[in-house]
Amino acid sequence: MRVDLALFEGDELLTRDSFRVGAAELSSFSPLFKITHKLGQEAADIVLSEFPTHVDLNTIVLKMPIHESSDWESIDMGRYSLAFWCRLDA
């Protein structure tokens, strides 16, 4: 499953990243956080961590159902929001 992530503070885009979630656990770094991900049976386990001190977020743990998004989806986290788009690989 391919996931596009975008982190916003209000209306300001802080970072946008894209990664492919597979069976093996992998980690990568965006400009603002570490992304660790692994595909489970029914959901992708995605962890966003190691935010810089100027971003007032701690570790974010997502159990993202394996699905194909029809549009951007988002999670409200106070002054931040995390938008994502999931695509199933052909």
Side-chain angles (χ1 to χ4, degrees):
M1 181 170 75
R2 175 161 290 295
V3 178
D4 289 309
L5 285 179
L7 180 65
F8 292 87
E9 183 175 6
D11 291 334
E12 180 184 352
L13 176 63
L14 299 178
T15 188
R16 183 171 174 184
D17 303 283
S18 181
F19 54 93
R20 185 180 180 154
V21 182
E25 182 173 285
L26 297 174
S27 294
S28 58
F29 287 88
S30 83
L32 288 180
F33 48 81
K34 178 181 177 183
I35 306 166
T36 305
H37 50 85
K38 181 180 181 181
L39 199 58
Q41 292 291 340
E42 297 179 18
D45 297 317
I46 300 172
V47 178
L48 311 178
S49 61
E50 299 181 23
F51 291 91
T53 56
H54 71 277
V55 176
D56 189 26
L57 291 171
N58 294 315
T59 300
I60 299 170
V61 178
L62 303 169
K63 284 285 222 187
M64 191 173 290
I66 299 169
H67 70 290
E68 179 112 11
S69 301
S70 59
D71 198 356
W72 284 94
E73 303 174 63
S74 67
I75 300 169
D76 182 17
M77 299 179 294
R79 70 180 220 231
Y80 297 99
S81 61
L82 182 67
F84 58 93
W85 189 301
C86 300
R87 292 173 295 199
L88 299 176
D89 296 319

